[in-house]
Amino acid sequence: MKAVQSNIVSYAKTDANARTAAESGDRIEWVKVSLVFLPLATPVSDAKVLTGRQKPLTEIAFIFAEIRTRDGHEGIGFGYSKRAGGPGMYAHAKEIAPNLLGEDPSDISKLFTKLLWAGASMGRSGLTTQAIAPFDIALWDLKAKRAGLPLAKLLGAHRDSVQCYNTSGGYLHTPLDQVLKNVQISRESGIGGIKLKVGQPDLAIDVQRVGEVRKLLGGDFPLMVDANQQWDRQKATRACRAFEDFDLTWIEEPLDAYDFEGHAQLAERFDTAIATGEMLTSAGEHAQLIMAEGSDFIQPDAPRVGGITPFLEIMALGAFKGRKLAPHFAMEIHLHLAAAYPIEPWLEHFEWLGPMFNEQMHLRDGRMYVSDRPGLGFSLSEQAIAWRADSEEFGKRP
């Protein structure tokens, strides 16, 4: 009996000098939120402009978050809005930013939930989640920098490069002869795929443009089209049928983004893959799309769904259900996430954000390569700072 008591006493002994993780963790002491407007050299039009739903895109609003900790670690992240909503996102980001002060930057999932519930009365998707994204992305950037690793490597990369396609040369406002020139330039620059905007009032014009580009590229080069939610189910069915002979990699957003059932019917009916998801603004909405069998390619956008934390949830479910991945926009962030996806993904190339950052990305032989820079691998340029419309700081200035 005495031997048993002795063992219990021995088991209960602790090191008086030991500290718990909560006691030893780093703490966030400073946060800066900025509103930056990126002007576009040429106004951009897609199918939504032709229908009068939206005006041509002339600028993009970015919300940047910069975070610094007591131990001197730093991270940067961003969210964005096209046409409208940027000032609203910025206002909400400023409201919730103080919730980060004093928190351990390693507790990223906890902090995402804290920020989500700080604005939950406005909903848990849409503007409220998009306003969280700059902070969540900055925390992941910080975590990877602290580890001395590119974010892709911190997450566990399946590859060191991702096949990359270009969108910006094939908008509806661009005449066909210029589209063909843009396609040739993109191909010669090392792009691995071309995406064209479709959704003209006359489907025959779309078919002609796609046919001319396919002829230029040849039969083996990856080609995609994007309707930007232009069609109803009947028009989408006709368009998908008309495009079947072009051997497209996918047809993107043929229907309203929330018509999961309609997208599923098209995916089942036609050989050409269906892609959608860029307009969804939470992991929950993407889960509905995936579980409804609504697409062959999922297209989440980390800044739109609330950051990298919910994006990883979408990736996990997408991989489990065997979906291919083609993230929307923000290649500076999505390169790392796509590199960590188990099924071979695509990366969308937009050169628009180039002036915002000091660093360049590495494109070669149709693929974008993950650099060896820690974190996301970018920092704000002097030009981005010059475009800053407003900023606010919280906590102790570093």
Side-chain angles (χ1 to χ4, degrees):
M1 186 66 178
K2 290 183 179 180
V4 174
Q5 290 177 338
S6 175
N7 288 341
I8 293 174
V9 172
S10 177
Y11 179 76
K13 289 182 179 179
T14 59
D15 182 352
N17 296 319
R19 294 197 299 165
T20 67
E23 294 168 330
S24 59
D26 196 3
R27 292 293 181 268
I28 297 170
E29 65 175 13
W30 176 81
V31 178
K32 183 176 182 178
V33 185
S34 302
L35 175 63
V36 175
F37 287 97
L38 166 69
L40 299 182
T42 303
V44 172
S45 297
D46 57 25
K48 295 186 294 293
V49 175
L50 292 186
T51 60
R53 292 176 178 174
Q54 293 183 338
K55 296 179 180 180
L57 180 64
T58 59
E59 65 180 11
I60 304 175
F62 284 86
I63 292 83
F64 283 94
E66 299 169 73
I67 295 175
R68 184 179 175 88
T69 72
R70 179 189 63 200
D71 294 346
H73 299 293
E74 298 179 343
I76 184 170
F78 67 82
Y80 73 92
S81 180
K82 298 178 180 179
R83 294 183 176 87
M89 287 173 57
Y90 176 58
H92 189 64
K94 290 190 296 180
E95 283 186 302
I96 62 177
N99 288 281
L100 294 172
L101 298 176
E103 293 282 1
D104 189 330
S106 295
D107 298 338
I108 302 178
S109 293
K110 168 190 170 183
L111 295 180
F112 176 85
T113 301
K114 184 177 184 180
L115 295 179
L116 186 66
W117 280 102
S121 66
M122 293 294 293
R124 285 181 280 169
S125 64
L127 184 148
T128 53
T129 51
Q130 292 179 72
I132 295 171
F135 305 115
D136 185 84
I137 293 167
L139 289 170
W140 279 102
D141 179 52
L142 186 155
K143 188 171 187 176
K145 285 177 179 173
R146 187 176 59 206
L149 295 170
L151 178 61
K153 294 296 185 181
L154 180 74
L155 296 175
H158 284 267
R159 59 195 64 81
D160 292 326
S161 67
V162 179
Q163 54 190 348
C164 185
Y165 73 94
N166 181 271
T167 295
S168 55
Y171 276 89
L172 292 184
H173 68 274
T174 309
L176 178 57
D177 60 344
Q178 186 60 53
V179 169
L180 296 174
K181 291 176 184 178
N182 293 342
V183 166
Q184 191 63 31
I185 292 170
S186 293
R187 189 174 188 178
E188 292 172 355
S189 71
I191 288 292
I194 297 292
K195 188 171 79 176
L196 302 179
K197 296 293 185 177
V198 293
Q200 299 277 357
D202 184 352
L203 177 60
I205 298 176
D206 284 332
V207 172
Q208 178 194 11
R209 285 164 68 93
V210 175
E212 290 296 321
V213 172
R214 171 51 81 200
K215 186 186 302 181
L216 175 64
L217 291 174
D220 296 331
F221 197 86
L223 177 61
M224 308 84 164
V225 300
D226 183 359
N228 288 109
Q229 309 177 75
Q230 171 70 1
W231 300 313
D232 59 26
R233 292 189 181 187
Q234 289 73 30
K235 291 179 180 178
T237 300
R238 294 190 187 102
C240 288
R241 184 181 299 114
F243 290 137
E244 280 282 75
D245 292 337
F246 293 123
D247 194 23
L248 301 177
T249 302
W250 70 66
I251 297 173
E252 184 171 333
E253 284 195 323
L255 299 169
D256 184 277
Y258 291 94
D259 187 357
F260 303 148
E261 182 182 81
H263 279 104
Q265 290 174 1
L266 294 175
E268 175 66 25
R269 184 169 183 176
F270 294 102
D271 293 337
T272 304
I274 299 299
T276 190
E278 69 177 65
M279 298 304 297
L280 305 183
T281 58
S282 70
E285 290 177 358
H286 276 277
Q288 292 178 59
L289 172 67
I290 294 169
M291 298 308 293
E293 308 287 339
S295 66
D296 302 288
F297 282 86
I298 56 173
Q299 297 186 300
D301 181 323
R304 281 185 174 165
V305 299
I308 292 171
T309 297
F311 195 103
L312 294 176
E313 294 180 19
I314 297 165
M315 283 175 55
L317 180 58
F320 176 73
K321 296 293 287 185
R323 299 294 183 273
K324 296 180 180 179
L325 176 72
H328 170 254
F329 202 57
M331 64 181 181
E332 293 78 5
I333 297 168
H334 292 139
L335 172 60
H336 295 272
L337 300 174
Y341 196 64
I343 303 169
E344 182 70 32
W346 279 95
L347 182 70
E348 185 171 29
H349 181 277
F350 271 95
E351 63 273 15
W352 296 351
L353 276 61
M356 305 278 281
F357 306 118
N358 292 313
E359 299 78 13
Q360 298 298 313
M361 301 182 73
H362 306 285
L363 176 66
R364 186 175 73 249
D365 299 328
R367 303 182 71 86
M368 191 72 75
Y369 284 77
V370 177
S371 80
D372 63 354
R373 297 187 295 268
L376 290 167
F378 64 76
S379 58
L380 284 180
S381 67
E382 290 297 323
Q383 179 62 81
I385 294 171
W387 283 330
R388 183 181 289 160
D390 194 31
S391 64
E392 190 163 338
E393 299 181 30
F394 305 87
K396 179 182 176 182
R397 175 185 282 273

